[in-house]
Structures are given as C-alpha cells and as structure tokens.
Amino acid sequence: MEMQLSMVVLEVRDIHRSIEFYRQLGLDLPDPPAERPISIVRMGSGVSLLLVEGFAGTNDPTWQRPTGGYQQLLEFYAGKDAGVDAMWEKLTAAGHHGRMAPKQTQGPYAAMVDDPDGNVILLTSDEAARVDGEEGA
C-alpha cells in the first residue's frame, strides 16, 4: 500500500475562533458538536483538515504547546496572484497577523498569515499546489 497523507490535525486553543479563521479562508468547516471540541472538513484534494481542542494534552502526558517560532506551513492554493492578494487583504483586515505580505518569492508568488494558534498559512498562486487539474483559475 502506498503511504498517503490523509489528514492534517491542528491542536487549537479555541475551536470556535479557529473555525472562524478557516471559514474566512474559504473552508466549509462545521460547528463542533456540543459534547466534543472537534471540526473536520474534507477538501477537494482528498486531504482532511481536523481542528481539535485538548486532544494532545489529554492523550500525551509529555505534550507541550510550542512557545515560539513555527515548524510547518500549510499551503493553500489561491489561484492567480490576485487571489493571493485578495485573501491576504481579507485575513489581515479581519485582524489576523500577516507574517509576509504578498510578493514574488524565489519560487511562487505567495503570502503568509498566522492562524489564531500561530500556525503559518502559506497562500500561493503556485500551479504545483493545484489539485483540480484545471489551468489558470
């Protein structure tokens, strides 16, 4: 069997605040059930994004939330350069920390914004990140 990435799990501080951020990004995350702080959406790429509050600390007694920096970037394809610009404006206008304004990098045209828990969201127009196979969206 081929190993495949099926889900990205983010341990969040405030499930409702995180859901709001990812909805602003364009994901259709459902509200969590009252008895369980979890929300999951399966994206067109086949990969699911799961937001959960309290799982790591409850199940791993050695877990500690990182206190600085970041170890990963979640890349979201935003279409053309104008899509990157528009999403940057939307998220930073909503008060989310802009880490890198839209610009042409050594690779793709891109921007970086922090989600409410400090995870870095890379917004890009890089066709290599495209999963639907259509050209020029």
Side-chain angles (χ1 to χ4, degrees):
M1 180 181 127
E2 175 189 356
M3 186 62 70
Q4 297 181 10
L5 178 64
S6 65
M7 185 178 302
V8 174
V9 179
L10 296 179
E11 177 72 41
V12 302
R13 289 180 178 92
D14 181 331
I15 191 81
H16 299 288
R17 187 168 175 223
S18 293
I19 288 170
E20 178 184 343
F21 173 86
Y22 286 97
R23 284 178 179 166
Q24 289 173 335
L25 190 60
L27 302 182
D28 190 21
L29 279 153
D31 289 328
E35 71 283 357
R36 193 167 173 216
I38 187 170
S39 182
I40 185 170
V41 63
R42 188 171 182 97
M43 296 175 279
S45 63
V47 174
S48 295
L49 176 65
L50 184 141
L51 305 178
V52 64
E53 188 179 302
F55 178 84
T58 300
N59 293 287
D60 179 358
T62 66
W63 182 77
Q64 294 179 331
R65 186 175 297 281
T67 58
Y70 58 92
Q71 296 182 52
Q72 74 285 326
L73 295 113
L74 301 179
E75 183 174 353
F76 286 87
Y77 178 70
K80 296 185 179 189
D81 295 355
V84 173
D85 294 340
M87 188 57 68
W88 164 268
E89 288 298 325
K90 179 179 181 178
L91 295 173
T92 57
H96 300 288
H97 176 255
R99 188 171 286 277
M100 180 185 83
K103 70 177 189 176
Q104 182 63 51
T105 67
Q106 296 140 330
Y109 185 80
M112 292 190 290
V113 178
D114 290 357
D115 80 358
D117 292 284
N119 296 301
V120 178
I121 305 305
L122 177 64
L123 305 168
T124 180
S125 62
D126 185 359
E127 287 285 327
R130 182 181 198 93
V131 297
D132 62 11
E134 294 180 19
E135 302 242 350

